[in-house]
Amino acid sequence: GNSVTQMEGPVTLSEEAFLTINCTYTATGYPSLFWYVQYPGEGLQLLLKATKADDKGSNKGFEATYRKETTSFHLEKGSVQVSDSAVYFCAQNYGGSQGNLIFGKGTKLSVKP
Amino acid sequence: NAGVTQTPKFQVLKTGQSMTLQCAQDMNHEYMSWYRQDPGMGLRLIHYSVGAGITDQGEVPNGYNVSRSTTEDFPLRLLSAAPSQTSVYFCASSLGHRSEAFFGQGTRLTVV
């Protein structure tokens, strides 16, 4: 079935370090892929998205590329800040008429000054 | 812009009580859904709707009811609360089946 697997944290980095959070998916079709971010006590916000193979989503210094050959959508940032501390969720829309999302379990990122 | 509004933000219920979690969106989105978030489980789909008058079950529908009488509103009803329903509940809406979802701020529910 359709699923999303992402690396489980927590991940602790120093400020200005490089960030990678791995995400892979299984899907019967060609889903759209998303990264959402959840700051403490808040709802989920869309961070970036990609709707087809080889698309690169980017926002606020974060990037992820839709890799159909490896069924992956890894999140990267070259230099993290303390303000990036949050929980990050990878998700896919499995493309049916329902428009619903399948989420990974989330990765908690803590960035230390 | 209000976006997706959920009420209440916090609620404590006793086992067996019923209540309704409210969700409203002002973006004229056809798609709305309810998720619950539990530690280590990510978000799981409870119920969803693809338009007014149309609802369907998600991954974990037991113990919950929904209705969609208008495009704007999508309430979630707990029929007889159980401690297993202690969770954070999120309502979301989206424009279409390949579009991103917009989330409310969540309702933290504790059932004692």
Side-chain angles (χ1 to χ4, degrees):
Chain A
N2 299 299
S3 67
V4 174
T5 303
Q6 65 179 101
M7 60 185 284
E8 296 185 26
V11 174
T12 302
L13 295 174
S14 298
E15 204 165 25
E16 299 185 1
F18 184 85
L19 169 70
T20 299
I21 301 177
N22 291 337
C23 172
T24 57
Y25 68 92
T26 60
T28 52
Y30 299 97
S32 296
L33 300 174
F34 307 87
W35 277 101
Y36 283 85
V37 59
Q38 184 180 32
Y39 298 103
E42 298 186 9
L44 279 73
Q45 304 173 26
L46 178 69
L47 181 59
L48 53 84
K49 68 176 183 179
T51 58
K52 61 184 187 296
D54 300 325
D55 268 2
K56 177 186 283 188
S58 61
N59 186 26
K60 299 180 181 180
F62 291 90
E63 293 183 341
T65 300
Y66 191 143
R67 303 285 188 197
K68 191 174 75 170
E69 64 275 13
T70 55
T71 63
S72 64
F73 193 55
H74 304 321
L75 182 67
E76 296 182 337
K77 187 175 185 182
S79 177
V80 295
Q81 305 300 312
V82 172
S83 57
D84 294 326
S85 297
V87 180
Y88 293 82
F89 292 93
C90 184
Q92 66 157 301
N93 170 313
Y94 51 88
S97 60
Q98 300 86 352
N100 297 309
L101 294 166
I102 297 175
F103 286 89
K105 294 185 177 181
T107 302
K108 184 176 182 179
L109 171 66
S110 296
V111 181
K112 306 299 184 185
Chain B
N1 293 336
V4 179
T5 302
Q6 289 183 238
T7 56
K9 291 188 176 180
F10 301 94
Q11 183 71 50
V12 179
L13 288 179
K14 294 183 179 179
T15 297
Q17 286 185 316
S18 62
M19 79 160 294
T20 299
L21 280 62
Q22 301 292 343
C23 176
Q25 53 92 8
D26 62 359
M27 296 174 283
N28 202 33
H29 287 170
E30 290 295 326
Y31 293 78
M32 296 187 74
S33 50
W34 277 101
Y35 296 85
R36 59 178 288 172
Q37 182 180 26
D38 301 294
M41 300 292 291
L43 279 80
R44 293 180 293 170
L45 182 66
I46 304 172
H47 284 285
Y48 64 95
S49 169
V50 298
I54 306 169
T55 64
D56 207 344
Q57 297 181 350
E59 180 185 356
V60 288
N62 292 341
Y64 308 95
N65 271 356
V66 292
S67 60
R68 185 95 181 270
S69 57
T70 67
T71 300
E72 294 78 20
D73 300 300
F74 191 45
L76 178 72
R77 297 183 188 83
L78 279 70
L79 308 173
S80 177
S84 61
Q85 293 178 305
T86 294
S87 188
V88 181
Y89 292 84
F90 288 100
C91 179
S93 73
S94 63
L95 186 61
H97 70 280
R98 290 191 70 81
S99 301
E100 67 266 30
F102 294 82
F103 285 81
Q105 291 295 297
T107 295
R108 183 174 295 274
L109 175 68
T110 302
V111 183
V112 297

